[in-house]
Amino acid sequence: MSDSVVSPDLDETVRGWLDENWDPGLSVEDWWQKVGRAGWAAPHFSPEEGGRGMPRNADARVRSIFAEHGALRPPGGLGLLMAAPTILRHGTEDQIDRHVTPILEGRTNWCQLFSEPGAGSDLAGLSTRAERDGDRWIITGQKVWSSMAHESDYGMLLARTDPDQPKHGGISWFAFALDQPGVTVRPLREMTGEIMFNEVFFDGAICEDRDLIGGMNNGWAVTQSTLFFERTGIGAGGGHAGFPKPGPKGGALGRLAGDAAGDEPEDRYRIVAFPHLIELARRTGRHEDPIVRDKLARLWSFIQTGAWNARRAKAEARHGGGGAIGSISKIAQTRIVKLSVEIAMDLIGAEGLVAEGEEARFVDAFLFAPASSIYGGTDEIQRNICAERILGLPREERADKGLTFAESTRRQQSMRGARA
Amino acid sequence: MSAVFEFSDEQREFRDMVRRFLETHSTETSVREWMDDDGGYDPAVWKDMAGQLGLQGLIVPEAHGGQGFGPVELAIVLEEMGHFLFGSPFLASAVLAVNALVEAGDEKAASDVLPAIASGEQIATLALCEAEGSWDPTSVTLSAKGGNGAFRLSGEKRYVLSGHVADVVLVAGRSEAGVSLFLVRGDAPGLERSPVPALDMTRKLATLRFDDVEATLVGEEGGAAASLSRALDRTTIALAAEQVGATQRCLDMAVEYAKDRFQFGRPIGAFQAIKHKCADMLLELESARSAAYYASFAAADAASGDDLEEITALTKGYCSEAFLQVAAENIQIHGGIGFTWEHAAHLYYRRAKSTDLLFGDAAHQRGRLAGRIGL
Ligand SMILES: Cc1cc2nc3c(=O)[nH]c(=O)nc-3n(C[C@H](O)[C@H](O)[C@H](O)COP(=O)(O)OP(=O)(O)OC[C@H]3O[C@@H](n4cnc5c(N)ncnc54)[C@H](O)[C@@H]3O)c2cc1C
């Protein structure tokens, strides 16, 4: 089954396509349209969905072949990782046409407007409101930790459409256009020193009814899909930011694809890939050290079993199984990230005291590593999911069981009051 | 390219058949009986297995009376055997010895011995390891003197699987030409076989002492190191599947208990400390299973271009640690009862460490792996 694995044929096909099509003189917009229409933006989607019916991990391979070829890589970002597959699953034909195609062609950039100051792991505790006004919705509230919101055209917005239902019951999922009055995006500085995530405030912002995805008050079910795509995508090494940024706000669509291709080498961005570590071990003369060798071999085992897990999940899905493997992939990815930076910092030694120069990539990656077990649902929450949904262990006792959202908010306030 | 991770319908049915056999014959009661028995198995069950399923000849070529199946079917059988902790000379005879004979490429020896192994009438094993505990065939020192196919062996072999019950012993020795493989009858004069009390009581081991024992050369004199390495890798891949089956059983036991055992008014499985342990056990189990399956498909497909040594080292290293961790956590989740002789948890814990040590432990495997990933 040549389509069930990332095979040498894939490399050939991609290279052949690039030989025929890559043209540095095209605008980024035109290039990405070509790429999207050929199915390379999401090779793991089915052909009807705009992909090529390949396994999940073909995506990363395709991107690296584009890079090797010197071509501008396919558009990336959270729209591709989460919004597109969610809308494909829950949206109407009209919604798919209006949103998925632009994502695949890099014409829109998306962010995820889920978390709020009062709703993190307990996402269903969100209080941003959407109130109906004819064929529009009026949005009021606040989101936080919204990665890339300052460069996004659309947001996957979760808002409460009925506070008198139990908290999971009164939520809806919107495709929300960020560029409008009533939306304030305020960048936050991360512990890395950089700005990636934001606070987003809604003060009477508008969303058209036709952009409510998956039905009113059905947002929790839709969100389960989004979160599934997020954790399995991250587990498969997806979630790449995409350079340059897709969409008008990224500002690159009018540039020459050839110029944009040279912009930002992937490997200088918070990622320690395995070959970097091998090269580093040799460069620092530590490749003979048995402890270093043991750690690197262990890391390689994690990486390789992760890739095999993904392939096995795909094969088993064809026989109606494989759920367990998808759920462990995000925790598995966390341990890969953390071990990678541990080894890298160990290898660079005292140079780790310095945050610029030749080894800065490793210091950056070290600083970014704690994020991997937080974003996309913390490791603790992922373990709860594995234990409860896969292994069938008893569910967590919930203090707000049976209460409507409004009641549970009041209860929370009175508990806080009693403590103060 | 191999159809990796795609089991055929026949293979799925085959698994069910093997499982049914083991469910009936490898109950905890019978495992404990075999454990207390010197031979470590029940000859009647061994005979039934040959008669009903022909498993002893699973990977023996058809020309030599076997079924001629490959690494994937073998992995299926061993995964199930691991799950039920089946006590028998299967690993020694039907896997290790058969692999050693087939890889040696000696048609005469194969046609002399394989049919009886395949039918289950005779039990075979491989004696490789010596006092310093290395599974590397190039480190063999047992002396082999002679020529023209007739040799005399002197020295000692350790940790020989089912060594005291084997009718046929394949022995790695060193002759003037280098490391060679020999065939010795279990009752040969000068061969002294002593069972050793094993950490894993469900898998019997023996020390064999050779005092000028007559032996027949198998394969080319001096040419055994490479073929033995291949045989060991193939056996190790099968063993990894056995580890996965046993790991699954440990997680099953733990989860079942966590749902049933109440403390502080709720099942202990409602506590996150327990829940998260179980989730980590699941991660280890499923990753180990992916590795073991991948390795068996890769071994089945010589054309895949996979580096079998690299994959073997990775898989054995991973599966060993996964099994050990899950077996230990299973005891922890059971609390006091998990530490009793009566509970099966320790049988799996013993099996976990013993399979880690067999054919080279996890650290050794990672050492091998490191040499193949650019270090
Ligand atoms: C780099 C980065 C990027 C992000 N990008 C986005 C984004 O683009 N869009 C978006 O919507 N969100 C984003 N997030 C937010 C992220 O999803 C949340 O931070 C995360 O879900 C945790 O929520 P919290 O921060 O409120 O922590 P809390 O939920 O307050 O958790 C605090 C601690 O308590 C633990 N905890 C909470 N509940 C339980 C429980 N039931 N059992 C055991 N432990 C528990 C957690 O594991 C954690 O250790 C991002 C976060 C980071 C770090």
Side-chain angles (χ1 to χ4, degrees):
Chain A
M1 268 222 171
S2 64
D3 71 343
S4 68
V5 289
V6 176
S7 64
D9 309 351
L10 170 71
D11 292 27
E12 289 309 303
T13 315
V14 181
R15 286 197 195 102
W17 188 86
L18 287 169
D19 283 338
E20 267 182 37
N21 292 283
W22 167 235
D23 176 0
L26 289 178
S27 70
V28 170
E29 186 169 6
D30 288 345
W31 168 241
W32 273 348
Q33 188 174 69
K34 247 179 186 236
V35 170
R37 290 188 178 168
W40 294 125
H44 53 292
F45 289 4
S46 72
E48 306 78 60
E49 295 170 338
R52 288 182 158 251
M54 289 175 165
R56 184 66 185 83
N57 58 342
D59 183 26
R61 182 72 200 133
V62 167
R63 281 161 197 280
S64 66
I65 299 168
F66 269 62
E68 281 164 26
H69 197 91
L72 175 62
R73 275 163 302 177
L78 301 184
L80 189 69
L81 184 74
M82 292 181 264
T86 302
I87 296 171
L88 279 168
R89 179 171 294 181
H90 299 277
T92 61
E93 225 161 277
D94 165 63
Q95 290 170 335
I96 292 171
D97 284 349
R98 282 187 300 110
H99 293 298
V100 175
T101 310
I103 291 173
L104 296 180
E105 297 181 2
R107 280 184 279 124
T108 52
N109 194 23
W110 285 63
C111 65
Q112 181 190 31
L113 302 170
F114 280 16
S115 302
E116 297 184 7
S121 301
D122 186 10
L123 181 54
L126 59 90
S127 54
T128 292
R129 279 175 296 134
E131 280 157 325
R132 194 190 276 283
D133 172 26
D135 55 4
R136 320 182 306 170
W137 294 85
I138 313 291
I139 318 288
T140 315
Q142 185 199 341
K143 296 288 171 179
V144 73
W145 322 131
S146 317
S147 302
M148 263 81 79
H150 57 302
E151 290 167 336
S152 294
D153 312 296
Y154 276 89
M156 304 164 239
L157 173 70
L158 284 189
R160 187 158 299 283
T161 35
D162 187 353
D164 294 320
Q165 290 208 30
K167 60 184 194 176
H168 297 82
I171 297 172
S172 301
W173 199 112
F174 296 91
F176 177 80
L178 280 160
D179 247 338
Q180 56 164 306
V183 177
T184 309
V185 176
R186 190 186 297 161
L188 292 165
R189 195 166 181 196
E190 293 176 28
M191 61 174 261
T192 59
E194 284 173 48
I195 287 170
M196 183 184 82
F197 54 36
N198 303 267
E199 293 175 299
V200 181
F201 300 87
F202 312 91
D203 183 9
I206 305 292
C207 189
E208 305 290 336
D209 195 38
R210 61 176 189 159
D211 278 333
L212 193 167
I213 311 283
M216 187 169 78
N217 293 336
N218 192 35
W220 192 247
V222 184
T223 300
Q224 294 313 303
S225 299
T226 313
L227 296 176
F228 173 82
F229 295 124
E230 179 173 34
R231 64 176 176 267
T232 51
I234 293 170
H240 28 61
F243 300 107
K245 309 280 189 315
K249 282 233 189 112
L253 292 181
R255 296 178 59 199
L256 289 185
D259 294 347
D263 256 8
E264 190 142 16
E266 183 174 36
D267 58 5
R268 171 65 183 85
Y269 195 72
R270 296 174 168 181
I271 291 169
V272 177
F274 193 72
H276 299 143
L277 290 174
I278 295 288
E279 192 265 329
L280 186 61
R282 298 196 148 270
R283 184 150 49 81
T284 54
R286 299 275 302 283
H287 59 291
E288 308 276 11
D289 178 338
I291 294 174
V292 169
R293 293 169 74 84
D294 187 78
K295 281 191 171 179
L296 280 166
R298 171 173 272 124
L299 175 61
W300 181 243
S301 307
F302 290 172
I303 293 172
Q304 193 62 278
T305 49
W308 291 337
N309 282 338
R311 285 164 75 162
R312 202 181 120 222
K314 183 99 182 173
E316 293 189 359
R318 278 197 283 272
H319 296 274
I325 323 168
S327 296
I328 58 174
S329 64
K330 202 203 161 229
I331 323 175
Q333 186 60 22
T334 297
R335 70 180 184 181
I336 290 173
V337 170
K338 297 205 169 174
L339 181 56
S340 298
V341 300
E342 176 192 317
I343 297 173
M345 289 303 274
D346 174 23
L347 286 172
I348 64 177
E351 191 58 22
L353 292 165
V354 180
E356 63 172 17
E358 202 185 357
E359 317 291 17
R361 172 207 296 158
F362 300 113
V363 178
D364 278 0
F366 167 76
L367 280 174
F368 194 65
S372 63
S373 48
I374 300 174
Y375 63 64
T378 65
D379 274 15
E380 286 76 20
I381 295 301
Q382 303 301 338
R383 289 191 169 93
N384 285 350
I385 291 174
C386 288
E388 294 175 3
R389 295 199 203 148
I390 309 294
L391 298 175
L393 288 167
R395 291 199 166 262
E396 188 94 8
E397 285 273 337
R398 292 182 187 277
D400 54 6
K401 201 169 160 189
L403 303 182
T404 66
F405 173 72
E407 288 163 346
S408 93
T409 310
R410 276 196 297 278
R411 185 168 184 270
Q412 200 170 312
Q413 274 158 2
S414 78
M415 277 172 82
R416 284 232 174 82
R419 209 182 44 209
Chain B
M1 203 64 198
S2 55
V4 171
F5 300 125
E6 294 280 1
F7 291 100
S8 65
D9 289 344
E10 290 76 22
Q11 286 167 336
R12 288 163 200 277
E13 280 162 30
F14 176 62
R15 183 188 290 281
D16 291 343
M17 197 170 73
V18 173
R19 182 174 302 167
R20 278 197 299 275
F21 181 86
L22 292 169
E23 265 166 5
T24 318
H25 295 288
S26 191
T27 61
E28 193 183 328
T29 315
S30 42
V31 168
R32 286 181 184 270
E33 277 167 17
W34 302 331
M35 199 170 95
D36 294 333
D37 179 85
D38 275 350
Y41 74 110
D42 179 344
V45 173
W46 183 252
K47 206 172 157 207
D48 278 356
M49 192 171 85
Q52 292 170 27
L53 303 174
L55 294 190
Q56 286 91 332
L58 187 76
I59 59 165
V60 172
E62 281 171 293
H64 298 303
Q67 304 201 50
F69 283 113
V72 178
E73 288 80 10
L74 183 61
I76 289 172
V77 170
L78 276 175
E79 186 180 344
E80 296 305 319
M81 286 183 172
H83 191 277
F84 292 97
L85 222 57
F86 183 57
S88 81
F90 188 83
L91 183 69
S93 189
V95 187
L96 185 56
V98 170
N99 276 328
L101 264 170
V102 169
E103 291 294 339
D106 183 324
E107 274 306 305
K108 175 158 188 328
S111 59
D112 283 353
V113 204
L114 282 176
I117 297 176
S119 67
E121 283 152 47
Q122 293 211 330
I123 288 164
T125 190
L126 173 73
L128 175 67
C129 223
E130 298 176 0
E132 83 286 6
S134 163
W135 299 90
D136 178 356
T138 61
S139 70
V140 161
T141 66
L142 179 126
S143 121
K145 293 206 164 65
N148 294 330
F151 286 80
R152 306 197 76 86
L153 308 182
S154 296
E156 186 179 284
K157 291 288 180 184
R158 298 263 178 96
Y159 326 117
V160 183
L161 291 166
S162 303
H164 56 302
V165 295
D167 305 290
V168 173
V169 185
L170 293 161
V171 190
R174 187 175 289 276
S175 74
E176 266 176 19
V179 178
S180 313
L181 187 64
F182 301 94
L183 194 148
V184 172
R185 289 283 151 190
D187 55 5
L191 172 57
E192 186 200 322
R193 319 194 285 176
S194 349
V196 291
L199 159 67
D200 174 2
M201 302 162 302
T202 65
R203 184 132 65 202
K204 304 295 178 183
L205 299 172
T207 296
L208 304 190
R209 282 182 206 87
F210 296 82
D211 181 13
D212 201 33
V213 176
E214 201 177 305
T216 318
L217 179 70
V218 176
E220 199 187 320
E221 190 187 347
S227 62
L228 278 170
S229 284
R230 288 195 303 274
L232 273 183
D233 280 348
R234 287 181 171 272
T235 307
T236 302
I237 289 171
L239 184 64
E242 190 198 90
Q243 292 177 309
V244 168
T247 308
Q248 174 78 63
R249 182 71 195 101
C250 290
L251 177 58
D252 291 348
M253 273 191 241
V255 168
E256 211 173 305
Y257 191 73
K259 289 176 185 169
D260 279 359
R261 169 73 175 164
F262 273 67
Q263 289 295 288
F264 304 98
R266 41 163 127 165
I268 56 168
F271 296 112
Q272 277 193 350
I274 299 293
K275 218 178 254 187
H276 288 192
K277 253 192 218 311
C278 291
D280 286 335
M281 291 159 85
L282 180 71
L283 169 62
E284 294 300 342
L285 166 67
E286 293 298 345
S287 303
R289 172 171 283 137
S290 294
Y293 286 0
Y294 186 89
S296 72
F297 279 106
D301 183 4
S304 73
D306 282 315
D307 177 346
L308 215 54
E309 271 190 69
E310 177 185 327
I311 289 172
T312 306
L314 193 162
T315 298
K316 175 67 172 12
Y318 195 93
C319 293
S320 291
E321 284 201 341
F323 185 10
L324 264 170
Q325 184 182 327
V326 173
E329 296 289 31
N330 181 37
I331 296 176
Q332 178 67 20
I333 288 175
H334 278 85
I337 198 165
F339 197 69
T340 61
W341 183 263
E342 283 70 28
H343 201 280
H346 74 107
L347 303 181
Y348 287 86
Y349 182 67
R350 290 165 181 273
R351 176 62 71 89
K353 191 61 205 174
S354 79
T355 52
D356 173 35
L357 294 170
L358 268 182
F359 314 143
D361 67 6
H364 169 78
Q365 301 297 346
R366 282 196 298 274
R368 273 173 90 196
L369 180 59
R372 299 193 159 254
I373 54 177
L375 286 173

